[in-house]
């Protein structure tokens, strides 16, 4: 089947991969909005969304479970955003106003192509990563493309031709510059360790997972993991770093003038960025598709093979599904932490966000890089 797909024309492969990204990521990003409300409700000791039920569905046995989980609220939200009247204020710069939500979606969905989401065991016993574009500069591609998403917020703030959205766009650009430096410096120790002398240099995320067959980097590089996690909150504009849309002082920030479907695209892009960011964090620091520290995927499948006496565990399809399930579990756990923090930690002031980025996080990331550079040098001697 894989050979047949690779034999198709390049344009057909590209369209198929693009549709796969949309079909998978768009529903997950939309479902995160429903999960956010349920997590918020559980933290605040209330039931959350549990009332919506289509009139003709009530007779189906067991449908009440889906109703109490709030699944039908997600369907109601999707229909509402699609069919509500699209506001287009007279005072906005109309072309750029409409373009901004589209620009938000493109980087969010493009970065998925270079992020491995699982692996299977090759003929020689080596893990073969599952990814849409197996490039050797994976983390560099993620940083390069993801940083383009900020242009959508700047464009939305400027095109709205209003003071509060404009201030939100300015805050977004300042926050990106402040925290992207620390985020980049935090991952350099990981790739200094991965690219040992005498080996082929790489920035592949799959290679980082291979090196975590023993201890995960979250244990050997906890400061790097902490800096990356904090910067990730800021890069995805998640509370307590949601300065570009702070309703306490900017009404709604960059999206104040937006509504209906265009408004929803901004938040689908935000959740998509959060999913990709969680995936990158899991790949770099949580062992990727390795279930436990010192238990790589190949060893896990071999143990399952001996325990059950079935060679099915070593089949590429089964191995791939197991690795995807492990990796997805880590992503969902990280997303839960995102939501947990949002409904637990109060929002920072703008000056506190800037002070944390420049006076605390950046010096710490530089010191962390120097310490690991010296340490790795002596260890590799």
């Amino acid at each position: 089947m894989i050979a047949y797909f690779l034999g198709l024309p390049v344009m057909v492969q590209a369209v198929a991969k693009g549709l796969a990204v949309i079909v998978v990521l768009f529903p997950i990003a939309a479902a995160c909005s429903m999960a956010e409300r349920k997590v918020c409700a559980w933290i605040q000791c209330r039931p959350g969304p549990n009332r919506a039920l289509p009139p003709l569905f009530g007779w189906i046995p067991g449908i009440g479970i889906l109703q109490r989980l709030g699944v039908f609220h997600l369907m109601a939200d999707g229909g509402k955003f699609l069919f509500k009247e699209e506001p287009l204020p007279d005072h906005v710069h109309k072309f750029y106003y409409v373009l901004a939500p589209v620009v938000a979606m493109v980087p969010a969905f493009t970065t998925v192509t270079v992020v491995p989401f699982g692996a299977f065991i090759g003929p020689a016993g080596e893990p073969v990563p599952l990814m849409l574009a197996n490039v050797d500069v994976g983390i560099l591609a993620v940083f390069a493309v993801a940083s383009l998403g900020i242009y959508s917020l700047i464009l939305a703030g400027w095109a709205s031709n209003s003071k509060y959205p404009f201030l939100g766009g300015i805050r977004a650009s300042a926050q990106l510059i402040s925290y992207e430096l620390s985020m980049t410096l935090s991952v350099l120790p990981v790739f200094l360790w991965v690219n040992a002398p005498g080996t082929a240099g790489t920035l592949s995320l799959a290679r980082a997972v291979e090196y975590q067959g023993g201890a995960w980097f979250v244990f050997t590089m906890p400061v790097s993991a902490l800096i990356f996690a904090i910067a990730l909150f800021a890069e995805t504009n998640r509370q307590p770093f949601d300065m570009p849309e702070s309703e306490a002082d900017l009404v709604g920030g960059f999206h104040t003038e937006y509504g209906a479907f265009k408004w929803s695209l901004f938040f689908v892009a935000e959740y998509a960025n959060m999913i990709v960011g969680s995936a990158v964090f899991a790949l770099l620091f949580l062992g990727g598709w390795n279930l436990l520290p010192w238990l790589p995927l190949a060893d896990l499948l071999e143990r399952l093979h001996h325990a059950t006496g079935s060679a099915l565990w070593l089949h590429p399809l089964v191995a791939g599904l197991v690795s995807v399930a492990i990796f997805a579990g880590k992503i969902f756990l990280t997303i839960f932490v995102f939501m947990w923090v949002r409904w637990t930690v109060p929002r920072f002031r703008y000056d506190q966000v800037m002070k944390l980025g420049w006076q605390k996080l950046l010096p710490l990331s530089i010191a962390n890089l120097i310490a690991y550079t010296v340490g790795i040098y002596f260890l590799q001697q």
Side-chain angles (χ1 to χ4, degrees):
M1 184 175 179
I2 295 177
Y4 172 76
F5 178 77
L6 295 176
L8 295 174
V10 175
M11 287 302 298
V12 175
Q13 293 184 37
V15 171
K17 290 178 180 179
L19 290 175
V21 169
I22 295 172
V23 168
V24 173
L25 199 59
F26 206 101
I28 295 176
C32 282
S33 65
M34 186 270 291
E36 180 108 57
R37 282 176 285 174
K38 295 298 287 188
V39 170
C40 167
W42 292 336
I43 290 174
Q44 297 174 351
C45 298
R46 55 187 178 84
N50 64 349
R51 299 303 179 103
L53 180 67
L56 301 180
F57 283 35
W59 62 272
I60 302 176
I63 200 70
I65 297 175
L66 297 178
Q67 180 185 13
R68 287 192 293 275
L69 287 175
V71 172
F72 299 109
H73 285 263
L74 178 62
M75 297 170 58
D77 281 345
K80 175 183 70 175
F81 287 133
L82 281 173
F83 296 109
K84 277 183 69 175
E85 180 182 359
E86 285 282 350
L88 189 61
D90 290 335
H91 64 274
V92 302
H93 303 286
K94 293 182 173 54
F95 174 75
Y96 300 104
Y97 175 86
V98 175
L99 181 64
V102 179
V103 174
M105 297 294 294
V106 174
F109 283 73
T110 303
T111 49
V112 182
T113 59
V114 297
V115 175
F117 51 86
F120 63 92
I121 307 304
E126 80 286 359
V128 180
L130 297 170
M131 53 198 307
L132 296 180
N134 192 359
V135 296
D136 203 38
V137 290
I139 190 65
L140 186 62
V142 170
F143 284 165
V145 177
S147 61
L148 298 177
I150 196 65
Y151 288 106
S152 67
L153 308 191
I154 298 172
L155 195 62
W158 175 82
S160 295
N161 200 19
S162 180
K163 290 183 175 59
Y164 285 135
F166 183 72
L167 287 174
I170 294 298
R171 284 186 176 188
S173 60
Q175 189 166 297
L176 174 84
I177 296 169
S178 302
Y179 285 87
E180 196 157 85
L181 290 169
S182 300
M183 175 180 279
T184 305
L185 292 173
S186 70
V187 303
L188 288 180
V190 172
F191 289 98
L192 283 175
W193 185 269
V194 168
N195 294 290
T199 62
T202 181
L203 293 175
S204 171
L205 291 166
R207 180 70 69 84
V209 176
E210 291 178 27
Y211 271 77
Q212 295 177 83
W216 292 353
F217 286 137
V218 71
F219 301 119
T220 58
M221 300 181 180
V223 177
S224 290
L226 177 64
I227 294 171
F228 188 90
I230 295 174
L232 188 59
F233 273 89
E235 293 290 298
T236 53
N237 298 322
R238 296 286 300 181
Q239 199 163 328
F241 295 94
D242 59 340
M243 291 296 101
E245 57 192 76
S246 173
E247 73 275 5
D249 47 352
L250 295 185
V251 183
F254 67 92
H255 60 75
T256 301
E257 302 290 346
Y258 283 86
F261 189 67
K262 290 192 288 293
W263 182 89
S264 69
L265 288 181
F266 282 117
F267 290 94
V268 170
E270 178 182 310
Y271 283 117
N273 283 322
M274 187 171 69
I275 293 168
V276 174
S278 300
V280 173
F281 182 81
L283 290 167
L284 290 176
F285 299 105
L286 298 181
W289 45 80
N290 298 319
L291 180 61
L292 295 170
W294 291 280
L295 183 61
L297 177 65
D299 290 356
L300 172 66
L301 296 173
E302 195 66 37
R303 291 187 184 188
L304 291 172
H305 166 54
H306 289 302
T308 61
S310 173
L312 192 62
W313 293 105
L314 303 179
H315 190 278
L317 179 60
V318 176
L321 291 175
V322 170
S323 67
V324 170
I326 294 171
F327 186 47
K330 293 180 180 180
I331 292 175
F332 293 143
L333 178 62
T334 309
I335 291 173
F336 171 74
V337 173
F338 266 98
M339 297 176 180
W340 187 4
V341 170
R342 174 176 181 178
W343 299 105
T344 306
V345 180
R347 178 186 291 119
F348 297 147
R349 294 196 314 266
Y350 182 61
D351 63 302
Q352 292 173 328
V353 171
M354 292 294 102
K355 184 176 181 179
L356 177 64
W358 288 106
Q359 297 185 16
K360 301 292 192 299
L361 216 58
L362 184 58
L364 179 61
S365 60
I366 294 173
N368 177 68
L369 175 60
I370 294 172
Y372 274 101
T373 301
V374 174
I376 289 170
Y377 170 78
F378 283 108
L379 285 173
Q380 292 181 345
Q381 289 300 309

